[in-house]
């Protein structure tokens, strides 16, 4: 893609926001019509591609019990520490800030069980995300795919503009042994 003037890029971003109904910027009328400048569609595609390439930090996975084992037929509680992240980058020569907000969590519990939620989970006793393993296993690995919604701020100031599409990160927990406990009644001597 050719090099563009900063004002052309800013105008194209504002035009995109106006067409999308997200910003409603009166300055759009001040942008000159330039056949050689980027179109709003060009900028939208570039912003979406850049968002998916940014080094968004994958959140960590916490599980309870906090051990290298879990029990069969008991809640295995999971949660993540996903937080909003702001990253700096340059798009077509214009410095921008990108805000990534976690919005969706897809859990894979390593035994065929999956769970999709908008909740990052909470610890016991108020836990909200858990899984029950129904058989023992030497090692299962929990994987979390987090989907991030993006917003862009031009040159570090002004309104945050929505970014089309989502970015994803993948987190993997250490393997956990799933243990079946045998309970036996014994006479009281």
């Amino acid at each position: 893609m050719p090099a563009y003037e900063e004002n052309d890029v800013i105008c194209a971003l504002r035009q995109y926001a106006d067409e999308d109904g997200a910003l409603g910027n009166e300055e759009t009328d001040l942008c000159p019509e330039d056949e050689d400048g980027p179109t709003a569609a060009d900028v939208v595609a570039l912003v979406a591609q850049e968002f998916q390439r940014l080094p968004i930090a994958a959140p960590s996975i916490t599980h309870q019990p906090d051990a290298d084992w879990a029990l069969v037929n008991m809640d295995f509680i999971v949660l993540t520490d996903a937080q909003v992240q702001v990253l700096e980058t340059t798009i077509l020569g214009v410095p921008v800030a990108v805000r990534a907000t976690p919005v969706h969590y897809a859990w894979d519990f390593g035994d065929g069980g999956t769970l999709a939620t908008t909740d990052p989970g909470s610890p016991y006793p108020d836990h909200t995300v858990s899984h029950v393993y129904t058989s023992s296993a030497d090692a299962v690995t929990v994987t979390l795919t987090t989907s991030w919604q993006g917003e862009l701020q031009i040159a570090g100031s002004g309104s945050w503009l929505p970014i089309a599409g989502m970015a994803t990160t993948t987190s993997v927990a250490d393997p956990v042994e799933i243990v079946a406990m045998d309970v036996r009644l014994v006479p009281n001597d």
Side-chain angles (χ1 to χ4, degrees):
M1 187 156 281
Y4 298 115
E5 296 293 321
E6 180 176 340
N7 288 339
D8 291 338
V9 175
I10 292 171
C11 285
L13 282 168
R14 288 179 177 154
Q15 177 187 351
Y16 159 65
D18 286 341
E19 288 174 355
D20 228 25
L23 183 61
N25 189 334
E26 295 113 18
E27 293 181 37
T28 303
D29 295 336
L30 302 177
C31 294
E33 290 190 24
D34 183 0
E35 292 178 15
D36 296 329
T39 66
D42 291 340
V43 173
V44 169
L46 284 170
V47 168
Q49 288 172 2
E50 183 64 21
F51 179 51
Q52 292 173 2
R53 281 194 292 255
L54 286 174
I56 299 170
S60 63
I61 298 172
T62 301
H63 58 80
Q64 295 175 324
D66 184 17
D68 61 357
W69 57 270
L71 294 175
V72 170
N73 297 325
M74 298 291 289
D75 277 347
F76 181 70
I77 300 165
V78 292
L79 55 138
T80 185
D81 62 352
Q83 298 291 321
V84 172
Q85 298 177 43
V86 177
L87 304 147
E88 304 290 328
T89 190
T90 302
I91 298 176
L92 297 173
V94 177
V96 296
V98 174
R99 182 166 58 191
T101 303
V103 294
H104 186 263
Y105 308 93
W107 297 92
D108 181 333
F109 293 98
D111 68 343
T114 60
L115 177 65
T117 180
T118 57
D119 182 356
S122 300
Y124 179 87
D126 300 318
H127 62 282
T128 55
V129 181
S130 64
H131 177 69
V132 175
Y133 290 100
T134 58
S135 61
S136 57
D138 289 335
V140 295
T141 302
V142 175
T143 304
L144 169 64
T145 302
T146 305
S147 297
W148 304 81
Q149 186 175 45
E151 296 173 289
L152 172 106
Q153 188 180 56
I154 304 167
S157 64
S159 300
W160 288 94
L161 307 173
I163 296 175
M166 297 274 190
T168 59
T169 57
T170 302
S171 309
V172 180
D174 291 334
V176 175
E177 180 182 5
I178 308 303
V179 179
M181 294 292 263
D182 292 328
V183 178
R184 292 192 181 100
L185 295 174
V186 293
N188 189 4
D189 291 335

